[in-house]
Amino acid sequence: MCGSVGIVDRRGERAFPRALIERMNTVQHHRGPDETGVHLGPGVALGHKRLSIIDLASGQQPMWSADGRHVIVYNGEVYNFQTLRSELEALGFAFRTRCDTEVLLQAYAAWGPASVERLRGMFAYAVWDTRERTLFLARDRLGIKPLYWCELPDGRLAFASELKSLLEIDDLPRVIDPNAVEEYLALGYVPDPRTVFRSVHKLAPGHWLLAERGTGAPAPREYWDVPFAPVPVASEAAAAQELIERVREAVQVRLVADVPLGAFLSGG
């Protein structure tokens, strides 16, 4: 688990106070007690709290691409990052680290927003493009990793791994959404994309968002949904065998780490 925060200016290149992004970052310190990173640039401020899992020595964030065009903050794990790395190396991309963060960064440089469709894992991340002045946000297929975002009246767009980080923004509109309250009382939680505040949204599972300068309000786009089409099964025995193989393979891909691992029988 890591934590990401950020603010971008969709109307210009305003400078954001370091104290603000540091407060937003510190609020979610529990998500990543190992390392802290902050980047400030024209029209952008990014923060990250890291829980080190892979490549403990060189996976610090925010992480820049070698050419200085893209910078990423990321929470999660991409289980097929080694396969993607090999594919990117075949395209001519070079890597300075062993971590999945750099694979995400290079994948975005290679394939843009469509890169998220290649990822297998749990993730929520943001990529800032310094040339195009765009912010790309993406969340994994089932929404395992959280990502909140809001657009402020003055053209700023902010995001964070937790809602309370956004509350550090003094002029964030705090009008309660009564529909969200009703859903919470009925269901015990607020379904995506609502939050308790009208101004703040969850990026829904299987969606990405591209915030561009000087355009209308950004709209999340769906890149994946659960397929409900019937799948032919040869026999009950074949289905049982396939289930066992899929579970074994799912466990195996989650064992890639540079730190000790544990498992909960409950599944959370």
Side-chain angles (χ1 to χ4, degrees):
M1 182 170 70
C2 297
S4 303
V5 296
I7 311 175
V8 299
D9 184 3
R10 297 185 61 237
R11 296 181 185 173
E13 295 189 344
R14 282 172 288 183
F16 299 116
R18 173 176 285 272
L20 172 58
I21 201 71
E22 287 182 344
R23 287 200 313 271
M24 294 172 65
N25 211 20
T26 299
V27 162
Q28 53 186 26
H29 175 73
H30 58 280
R31 299 188 67 87
D34 293 333
E35 291 184 291
T36 298
V38 170
H39 164 69
L40 297 174
V44 61
L46 301 172
H48 187 262
K49 286 287 185 178
R50 186 186 184 200
L51 179 66
S52 304
I53 302 294
I54 298 174
D55 194 358
L56 309 187
S58 59
Q60 292 79 14
Q61 300 181 46
M63 179 181 288
W64 286 86
S65 59
D67 62 2
R69 176 175 173 177
H70 298 103
V71 57
I72 188 172
V73 286
Y74 156 56
N75 167 33
E77 285 189 76
V78 172
Y79 305 127
N80 64 333
F81 79 97
Q82 293 166 324
T83 301
L84 291 173
R85 176 176 175 141
S86 297
E87 189 175 349
L88 289 162
E89 287 175 331
L91 294 175
F93 287 87
F95 288 83
R96 299 162 293 170
T97 72
R98 297 185 296 105
C99 64
D100 54 346
T101 305
E102 189 177 12
V103 173
L104 276 179
L105 187 60
Q106 301 282 45
Y108 187 81
W111 302 305
S115 59
V116 71
E117 299 174 24
R118 298 170 178 257
L119 307 181
R120 179 185 180 188
M122 52 180 183
F123 52 82
Y125 66 99
V127 178
W128 172 250
D129 185 328
T130 62
R131 183 186 304 171
E132 299 296 329
R133 319 303 291 176
T134 58
L135 178 73
F136 176 76
L137 301 176
R139 192 175 178 199
D140 63 72
R141 287 168 169 77
L142 296 181
I144 299 171
K145 295 300 183 183
L147 188 58
Y148 295 81
W149 68 280
C150 64
E151 187 165 35
L152 301 168
D154 64 355
R156 290 172 295 161
L157 186 144
F159 68 89
S161 295
E162 296 191 10
L163 176 58
K164 59 187 177 184
S165 289
L166 296 177
L167 296 179
E168 293 298 316
I169 302 172
D170 291 336
D171 55 344
L172 175 78
R174 287 165 166 77
V175 178
I176 299 295
D177 183 347
N179 291 318
V181 175
E182 181 180 3
E183 288 172 338
Y184 180 79
L185 294 175
L187 304 173
Y189 73 103
V190 179
D192 302 334
R194 292 192 211 272
T195 72
V196 70
F197 298 115
R198 286 180 173 173
S199 61
V200 181
H201 318 282
K202 300 173 197 168
L203 187 62
H207 282 69
W208 59 261
L209 179 149
L210 186 66
E212 301 175 276
R213 178 169 295 181
T215 62
R221 301 185 186 183
E222 183 180 85
Y223 69 86
W224 184 86
D225 196 5
V226 179
F228 288 102
V231 177
V233 177
S235 67
E236 182 177 343
Q241 182 60 34
E242 181 181 353
L243 175 61
I244 292 171
E245 291 173 357
R246 285 178 178 264
V247 170
R248 284 176 174 164
E249 194 266 347
V251 171
Q252 186 63 38
V253 299
R254 286 161 175 80
L255 296 180
V256 179
D258 295 335
V259 295
L261 295 173
F264 292 99
L265 295 180
S266 70

